[in-house]
Amino acid sequence: IKAIEELTGVEYTKQDDKLKAAFHVLADHIRSSSLIIADGGSPSNEGRGYVLRKIIRRALLFTNKIGNLNIFSNLVKEFLSNELALYSDLKKHIDFIENTIIDETERFAVNLSGGSKRFYEMTKGEKDNKFSGKNAFILYDTYGFPLEITEILANEQNRIIDLNEYD
């Protein structure tokens, strides 16, 4: 949490509960991501790789609430330097863990940009305040654009996603 404060200039103790939760998510997710990667996991679309990808990308969503996407990868060294006494075998994986998280962060940044563009294209010319569940699912299934982000974008345009159709 101290490292997040230093990287963002945002003081934990002066924040509301929602922003404090973002600090906790980042701290928890950097730990779990680092340990999974050190154990041989890598982000992918299936199995534990899928879980790792979701953990990293969920953390990246929370970095936007505090700062920017880049702070997450900067937390790796801080976490590892604090935890090497407890997890001494992590020392040999520091570069691999950091590079894996940086690569996934870059992929997700591209995904966010492309997905946002597709979202706006899908809503162009629509007159009502709805966004089809089918389009939300296409963004997720075909382009890997998280429903959480689609909901944020829809909310910004006062649109409602048909979640029954999405399901």
Side-chain angles (χ1 to χ4, degrees), residues 8-105:
T8 63
V10 176
E11 281 187 61
Y12 172 82
T13 56
K14 294 183 178 180
Q15 304 310 312
D16 63 19
D17 288 343
K18 284 185 178 184
L19 206 51
K20 284 181 179 178
F23 277 79
H24 291 277
V25 167
L26 292 177
D28 180 58
H29 285 37
I30 197 64
R31 178 178 50 250
S32 57
S33 298
S34 296
L35 293 173
I36 292 169
I37 294 166
D39 194 41
S42 61
S44 71
N45 291 331
E46 51 191 43
R48 75 178 180 169
Y50 177 77
V51 172
L52 176 59
R53 176 166 280 160
K54 291 290 282 186
I55 290 170
I56 293 171
R57 290 184 173 192
R58 183 170 185 268
L60 295 174
L61 295 176
F62 279 88
T63 63
N64 277 341
K65 294 179 181 190
I66 302 173
N68 64 48
L69 294 177
N70 297 326
I71 68 168
F72 191 66
S73 57
N74 292 332
L75 292 173
V76 172
K77 284 186 179 164
E78 185 66 29
F79 163 73
L80 294 175
S81 69
N82 288 328
E83 300 299 323
L84 283 177
L86 188 57
Y87 304 106
S88 59
D89 60 325
L90 290 178
K91 189 171 188 166
K92 60 187 170 194
H93 300 290
I94 291 173
D95 289 337
F96 180 67
I97 294 167
E98 188 173 29
N99 290 335
T100 300
I101 289 176
I102 289 169
D103 288 347
E104 187 61 24
T105 301

